[in-house]
Structure formats: structure tokens, C-alpha cells
């Protein structure tokens, strides 16, 4: 990287000169005779291992009233009642080790780490793979005992790159709705994913949860963080008003599943087994599991890594203050060798032990490219690891701090050329062109009032920005999307841009039929989906985007009530025609590699309409309220790869039309035709309503493009 000085940042001091441990036995490793404990604490003067029967003192007090309480102070003089303590002995490269015969699965532990200046820190094990309630103590775990029945036969689903469709959700949001059909005791948990036949209110008419995903046709579920995070009190029942809600972007124990999603957070092995059952169930449905991971910051600057090795894990400015490029109070120093090692090991562990199919990196723009590439290399070395997906956000919240002499390149947009071409990135350029600027909610985009301004951008987006300054090394790197958990949902953004002051009826999508109050919002939503799913690259959507999900204008619902965040399955049923539209677009892509990576031949036009050829198809997006025409003669332009065969001018048939009043070819067989729950706004019928208009057809060498429509045309083939 000598040709690039590094990413601009505030100056930071050099990385502390500490030894790097290369062994693979950090943490607690049980065997039939006992457990070996090893930690990396090169600046410590001594380390004491403490063993407990319970994962918390509250639990101990309930079982053994004489047990004292651990107040989590950092003084070595506190004695919260361990049943045994052992001094660790110094080992190679700054490690400390203890061998404890007779100690095994289910024993909880922590450390007292002493330093030459006389201070001491109580800490859990940063390398732990299991923990007690709220993650304050680590747990020895025999991972083989956490495997559900049939785990040894679990395999990652084979999904070709051109069939990849990513649907993002939160473990709680997925099934928290009382109408989800999931039993109360499993709503909002890992086990909700193990039901494959749920429906709205259990009535059987409209599928929910995993059954819904199979019907929709998505091939990968991206789950918001489900490692152990610090913002939720796991000891509280999920229906306790004090329990709260959080997205989970506040890592506490990155190698341990979150306990609040389990049926029993007090016993460390339960969350592991139930997390594996969730993954196993999605795999059985043919769906990949992508894990949203946060390695750019920690829940608190006072974390296990900093308690174990003060001053090493987090970036600091030259004055000693913490860097805050994450906007969360601290940034992980991913460029420090042992932090890079920690992150690589963590990703490999989730991929191998939990059979994770892919990883989405939060604020990837704060992680250095060497670490990202090291992860890619390590995954590729696993059996089948080359199929494990990697993508992330190529930005940060703010500027971080880096040693100016180190030449560190971060994986932001400037660093993308230095990443493996098999590491993808979210394309916010497409997002903002389609719906309007992310930070200015009322600013319109192509579909919400500024079609003429953004038409050229949509033409570039359709081809994954190839041939522009936004081009990446591989089309597979381009994650095409218009909504994710961050900021406004697509529906709420459309409400903000197209209404300025949205009413509750707008958020509720009360009347989306042709001529209805929300018909224009629904048309814009349909077209947004059409652009994403016909563009080159990997399509991605926020769960519920396909049924106009609303959070009533809340642009940052990370700790808003669960009632605001959860998926509304009755809304999905009521707006089933929009769901059918997404299902049809997914089927259009699946099995058709041209849509994923094929070059687009953009048809020149001087208006807002976007028309392009891809493979045997022609896609047209008309964002205005009048019918536009497209000459078929212009479609005879030779396509890429020296294809010169002419097309008969009238030999195009409309395969699909998404517009008010039209019968939408592939959607007619989608099977979403169910009652509209007695509410208005059922949208146009997707299942062959006799009153629906026939699909458009070519006349006089012209394709009619109805108002506010996306149409897909397919050419005939001749020998």
C-alpha cells in the first residue's frame, strides 16, 4: 500500500509494542479431564481465575441464600463467593494459563487482573464462548453438548450468486406481533424461526414468519446483531415493561449469543442450542443466514478487552482521548495485531461452529482493509468457506484516529479498491437516487417528485454504476437497496417526501387503491422495488418493505418500543398485492443470471423514463402520470458480447406490468390472493381478476408504458 498514505484521520499514537500470540487456545477449553484457561494480558503482573456455580449472584442468592453479592467493582479485595480461585502462570507471548482438573461444562468464571501500579480489574473473558445472564461472567462450555438433534447434518444452502435476495430483520421484530401465529412463549425468540407453518392468527389463510419467507422467495435472511449485547437486562421476562427493546449494536461478548432471545438466559448453554436451532430451521427452508456483526466499537469504553489489556483495544487520539468515529463513544483499533486476530477468530468461530452463511459488517468504514481481507482469507480456508458472504457499510459516522505513520487504509468508499472483490458494500448512491437524500427526509428522489433530476442516476444504478466513478471491482460487491433498519423505512420516506406533513392515514396506507389517498405512495413503492430488483448487483430489502412497513416517521428506532418495531403481519395480509409484486420480481431474477451481472444496454431517452435491455428482456420504468411510448426500433441496437441478431419490431411480449389496474403476469400465480382483513386498501388483485386490464402489447413498433409503471418485456426467439 505504499502508493496510498492511508485514510485521513485525527492523529493517534503508535500501536503499543506488545507481543502477538499465535496459538489457537485462548479462552476456556474443556476436555474429558478438566479445562484449560488461557488469556492474553501482556501488561498484567498477575491474573486470578475465579470459579462460580452460578452465572450471577442474584441467581446464586435465589438458590443459596447465604451467597454474597458481586457488585462488579474492580478491587481484588471483593469476594463475591467463588467456590475456587486459581493463580494463572505466565505463558508465551503475554499469555497466562491455568489448568483445572475436574472443572468442566457449566462452570462460570471471571478474572481478577492485577497491574504493576497496584490496580486490579475484575473482568469476564473476552474470548469466552458462553456466558451467564447479562454476560457478566463467562461459562465453560462443551459445545458438542449444545448441538441440536441433526446438527451434524446441517448444511449451508446452495444459493447461486445470481439468486441471492437478502431480507433484513431483527430476531424480536420477526415474531413479536401477537398475530404472528407463533406461540406466546416463543415470540421474539430464536425458537420462533423453528415453526414452518405459521399464519396470521393461526387461521391458515396468510403465511407468516418462515412460511412467509418461503412463499416470498427470499434466499437469505440478514439478522440484526444476535451476539450478546449490553443494552437489555436479560434477567427480565420479555413481557416485563422494564425489559425494553434494542437493535443490539452494542457488543458485550461477541462470541456468545444474546440471552434475551432465548427461553432461558440463566443457563449459558440454552441460548447456544436455541440459536443453532434457529439457523438449522432457516437452512432447512433453503434460506441462508447472514449475521450482522459489530467489530468497530464496544458497548462501553470500559469493556472486557480494555480491562484485560488497558489502552490496547480502542483507538485514542494523541492526547489520550478516545476516538469516536462510530458515534458510540469509542472505536476498536482493528489495525492492532491482536485486535485483528480477535476479530478474524470471532468471524471464523461463528462460521464454523454456528454454520453462519454470511456476515454484514456494521460501519465497515472504521475497519482497516487488511483486517477485512484477512477475514476473507480465513473464511476461504474453511471447508466450503468460499461460499460465506461478506459485505458491509463503507462509511463511518465520524472521523476516527489513526497513527499517521502506519498508512492504515480503512474499508470506506476510498478503500474499496483495496478490498477483495468478494467483499460487498451497500450502495447508498442508488438508495438516495431512488428515494431522496437519507439525511434530509423531505428531499425527493426519482420516485418522489424529482424524476427529471435523477433519471440519469437511475440509468447508472441499473448497471451497478459500471463505467462511472462509483464502479467497483465486481458487480457482486454492489448491494442494491432502498431501505434498511437505519433511517426511515421506504414507506415513511415516501410519506415525508411526497406529503411533507404526513397524516396518520398516510402512514397506515389506509387507501392504496387506484385513485385512493395513498395510491401515489403505493405506486412509488412498487417502482422502487422494480428498480432494485431489475438492477445489476445483489438486491436487499428491509423486512416489511414489501408491505409498506411504517414506523410512523421514527428514523432511528433502535430503542423505541417493540410495538413500533415489530412486523405487522395483518398489514402484510391487507397489502398482499404489494407482497405479490415483490414475489414476482424475485421470481423474475431467480434462475436468470443476466439480472445479476449482465451488462445493461441503456436506451437513450431525453425524458424521465428509464428503459434498458438485459439479456432477453427489456425493462421500462415510467415514473410520471401519463403513458409514455418506447420505440422498439431503438431496441435493435446490438447488445454486448457481439450479439448482432435483429429483433422483429413487434416481437416483444409484456411479461410483467406493475401499474394500477393491470393484470401482472407472474404475480397472477403468486398465491397471495386472500381477504383484505375487512379494511380498505387491498390494492389491485394479483390473481387474475376479470376486471383487470390486459397486459400492454406492442402496436406500430411502440411499447406503451402505462403511468407510474414498471414493465418487463421479453423478446421472441427465432432459429
Amino acid at each position: 500500500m505504499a502508493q496510498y498514505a492511508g485514510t485521513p484521520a485525527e492523529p493517534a499514537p503508535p500501536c503499543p509494542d506488545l507481543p502477538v500470540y499465535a496459538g489457537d487456545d485462548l479462552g476456556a477449553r474443556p476436555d474429558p479431564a478438566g479445562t484449560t484457561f488461557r488469556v492474553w494480558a501482556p501488561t498484567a503482573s498477575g491474573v486470578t481465575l475465579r470459579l462460580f456455580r452460578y452465572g450471577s449472584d442474584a441467581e446464586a442468592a435465589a438458590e443459596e441464600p447465604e451467597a454474597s453479592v458481586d457488585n462488579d467493582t474492580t478491587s481484588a479485595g471483593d469476594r463475591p463467593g467463588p467456590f475456587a480461585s486459581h493463580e494463572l502462570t505466565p505463558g508465551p507471548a503475554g499469555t497466562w494459563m491455568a489448568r483445572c482438573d475436574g472443572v468442566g461444562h457449566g462452570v462460570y468464571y471471571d478474572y481478577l487482573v492485577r497491574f504493576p501500579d497496584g490496580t486490579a480489574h475484575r473482568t469476564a473473558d473476552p474470548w469466552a464462548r458462553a456466558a451467564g445472564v447479562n454476560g457478566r461472567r463467562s461459562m465453560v462450555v462443551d459445545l458438542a453438548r449444545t448441538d441440536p438433534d441433526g446438527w451434524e447434518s446441517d448444511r449451508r444452502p446452495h444459493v447461486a450468486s445470481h439468486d441471492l435476495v437478502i431480507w433484513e430483520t431483527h430476531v424480536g421484530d420477526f415474531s413479536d406481533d401477537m398475530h404472528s401465529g407463533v406461540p406466546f412463549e416463543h415470540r421474539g425468540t430464536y425458537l420462533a424461526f423453528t415453526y414452518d407453518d405459521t399464519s396470521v392468527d393461526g387461521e391458515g389463510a396468510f403465511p407468516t414468519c418462515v412460511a412467509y419467507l418461503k412463499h416470498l422467495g427470499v434466499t437469505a435472511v440478514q439478522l440484526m446483531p444476535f451476539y450478546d449485547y449490553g443494552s437489555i437486562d436479560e434477567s427480565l421476562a420479555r413481557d416485563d415493561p422494564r425489559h425494553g427493546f434494542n437493535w443490539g449494536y452494542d457488543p458485550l461478548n461477541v462470541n456468545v449469543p444474546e440471552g434475551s432471545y432465548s427461553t432461558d438466559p440463566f443457563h449459558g448453554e440454552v441460548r447456544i442450542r436455541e440459536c443453532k436451532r434457529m439457523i438449522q430451521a432457516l437452512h432447512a427452508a433453503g434460506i441462508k443466514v447472514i449475521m450482522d456483526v459489530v467489530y468497530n466499537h464496544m458497548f462501553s469504553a470500559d469493556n472486557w478487552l480494555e480491562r484485560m489489556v488497558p489502552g490496547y483495544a480502542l483507538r485514542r487520539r494523541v492526547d489520550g482521548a478516545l476516538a469516536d468515529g462510530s458515534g458510540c463513544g469509542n472505536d476498536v483499533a482493528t489495525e492492532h495485531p491482536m485486535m485483528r486476530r480477535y476479530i478474524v477468530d470471532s468471524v471464523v468461530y461463528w462460521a464454523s461452529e454456528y454454520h453462519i452463511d454470511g456476515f454484514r459488517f456494521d460501519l465497515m468504514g472504521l475497519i482497516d482493509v487488511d483486517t477485512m481481507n484477512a477475514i476473507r482469507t480465513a473464511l476461504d480456508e474453511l471447508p466450503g468457506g468460499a461460499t460465506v458472504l461478506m459485505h458491509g457499510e463503507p462509511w463511518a459516522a465520524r472521523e476516527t484516529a489513526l497513527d499517521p505513520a502506519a498508512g492504515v487504509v480503512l474499508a470506506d468508499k476510498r478503500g474499496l479498491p483495496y478490498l477483495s472483490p468478494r467483499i460487498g458494500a451497500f450502495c447508498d448512491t442508488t438508495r438516495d437516487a431512488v428515494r431522496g437524500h437519507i439525511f434530509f427526509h423531505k428531499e425527493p428522489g426519482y420516485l418522489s417528485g424529482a424524476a427529471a433530476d435523477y433519471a440519469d442516476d437511475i440509468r447508472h444504478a441499473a448497471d451497478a454504476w459500471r463505467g462511472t466513478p462509483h464502479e467497483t471491482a465486481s458487480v457482486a460487491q454492489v448491494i442494491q437497496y432502498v431501505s434498511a433498519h437505519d433511517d426511515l423505512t421506504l414507506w415513511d420516506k415516501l410519506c415525508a417526501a411526497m406529503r411533507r406533513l404526513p397524516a396518520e392515514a398516510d402512514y397506515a396506507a389506509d387507501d392504496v387503491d387506484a385513485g385512493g389517498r395513498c395510491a401515489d405512495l403505493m405506486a412509488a413503492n412498487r417502482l422502487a422495488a422494480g428498480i432494485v430488483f431489475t438492477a445489476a448487483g445483489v438486491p436487499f430489502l428491509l423486512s416489511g418493505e414489501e408491505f409498506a412497513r411504517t414506523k410512523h416517521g421514527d428514523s432511528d428506532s433502535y430503542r423505541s418500543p417493540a410495538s413500533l418495531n415489530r412486523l405487522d403481519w395483518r398489514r402484510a395480509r391487507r397489502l398482499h398485492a404489494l407482497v405479490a409484486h415483490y414475489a414476482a420480481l424475485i421470481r423474475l431474477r431467480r434462475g436468470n443470471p443476466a439480472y445479476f451481472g449482465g451488462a445493461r444496454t441503456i436506451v437513450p431517452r431525453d425524458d424521465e423514463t428509464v428503459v434498458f435491455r438485459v439479456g432477453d428482456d427489456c425493462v421500462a420504468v415510467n415514473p410520471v402520470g401519463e403513458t409514455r411510448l418506447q420505440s422498439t426500433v431503438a431496441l435493435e441496437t446490438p447488445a454486448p458480447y457481439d450479439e448482432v441478431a435483429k429483433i422483429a419490431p413487434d416481437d416483444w411480449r409484456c411479461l410483467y406490468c406493475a401499474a394500477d389496474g393491470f393484470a401482472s403476469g407472474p404475480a397472477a400465480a403468486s398465491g397471495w390472493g386472500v381477504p383484505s382483513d375487512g379494511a380498505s386498501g387491498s390494492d389491485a388483485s394479483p390473481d387474475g381478476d376479470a376486471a383487470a386490464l390486459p397486459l400492454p402489447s406492442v402496436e406500430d413498433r411502440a411499447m406503451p408504458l402505462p403511468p407510474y409503471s414498471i414493465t418487463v418485456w421479453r423478446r421472441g426467439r427465432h432459429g
Side-chain angles (χ1 to χ4, degrees), residues 420-628:
S420 163
R422 291 190 299 115
I423 299 175
F426 286 89
C427 186
D428 57 336
T429 314
T430 294
R431 177 199 65 200
D432 289 355
V434 173
R435 56 180 261 175
H437 198 283
I438 192 74
F439 296 127
F440 302 100
H441 294 165
K442 298 184 185 302
E443 182 174 311
Y446 177 69
L447 297 176
S448 50
D453 295 335
Y454 286 101
D456 282 342
D457 283 340
I458 300 304
R459 294 178 181 109
H460 291 310
D463 201 32
W465 301 92
R466 287 176 283 197
T468 77
H470 300 292
E471 183 174 9
T472 58
S474 165
V475 70
Q477 287 183 290
V478 183
I479 307 297
Q480 301 274 31
Y481 76 115
V482 288
S483 70
H485 67 271
D486 284 321
D487 201 72
L488 295 174
T489 68
L490 173 61
W491 187 261
D492 287 354
K493 170 63 177 180
L494 295 174
C495 285
M498 298 170 71
R499 293 292 187 271
R500 315 300 287 178
L501 293 174
E504 177 55 33
D506 298 313
Y507 290 131
D510 275 345
D511 184 2
V512 297
D513 292 327
R517 175 188 179 94
C518 296
D520 58 337
L521 298 171
M522 181 58 66
N525 194 313
R526 284 196 302 257
L527 267 62
I531 291 169
V532 168
F533 280 90
T534 60
V538 178
F540 172 102
L541 68 154
L542 171 67
S543 55
E545 177 193 309
E546 72 279 11
F547 50 83
R549 184 178 183 178
T550 182
K551 295 183 183 179
H552 300 271
D554 188 337
S555 63
D556 192 16
S557 66
Y558 75 102
R559 60 177 181 180
S560 298
S563 58
L564 182 72
N565 282 282
R566 66 193 176 201
L567 295 178
D568 183 345
W569 289 108
R570 290 191 300 174
R571 184 181 179 102
R573 180 173 65 179
R574 177 167 62 88
L575 300 176
H576 61 87
L578 181 58
V579 178
H581 173 57
Y582 277 76
L585 292 170
I586 290 171
R587 282 197 304 278
L588 180 69
R589 287 186 70 97
R590 293 190 65 173
N592 191 341
Y595 277 90
F596 168 66
R600 271 60 175 169
T601 301
I602 306 298
V603 179
R605 293 185 65 104
D606 58 6
D607 62 4
E608 306 95 330
T609 303
V610 173
V611 179
F612 59 88
R613 281 187 54 193
V614 51
D616 288 332
D617 293 354
C618 174
V619 177
V621 183
N622 179 8
V624 298
E626 60 185 44
T627 298
R628 293 286 170 84

Side-chain angles (χ1 to χ4, degrees), residues 63 73-74 77 94 103 192 280 282 345 486-487 520 617 628 665 673 690:
E63 297 292 333
T73 64
T74 59
V103 172
Q280 184 181 41
L282 286 167
D345 284 358
D486 284 321
D487 201 72
D520 58 337
D617 293 354
R628 293 286 170 84

Side-chain angles (χ1 to χ4, degrees), residues 318-376:
V318 290
D319 63 359
L322 290 168
D324 189 20
S326 66
C328 299
N330 63 87
D331 299 343
V332 171
T334 64
E335 68 278 10
H336 291 179
M338 280 301 288
M339 290 311 299
R340 177 176 297 150
R341 160 79 192 280
Y342 181 75
I343 294 168
V344 172
D345 284 358
S346 176
V347 174
V348 168
Y349 171 68
W350 282 102
S352 55
E353 181 63 33
Y354 287 85
H355 306 174
I356 295 294
D357 304 277
F359 297 89
R360 177 266 190 192
F361 293 84
D362 180 68
L363 295 185
M364 185 174 70
L366 286 174
I367 304 173
D368 66 286
V369 296
D370 288 345
T371 295
M372 292 301 301
N373 288 332
I375 295 169
R376 181 71 270 171

Side-chain angles (χ1 to χ4, degrees), residues 158-164 219 288:
H158 173 71
V159 177
S161 296
H162 60 260
D163 286 340
L164 190 61
T219 54
K288 286 180 174 289

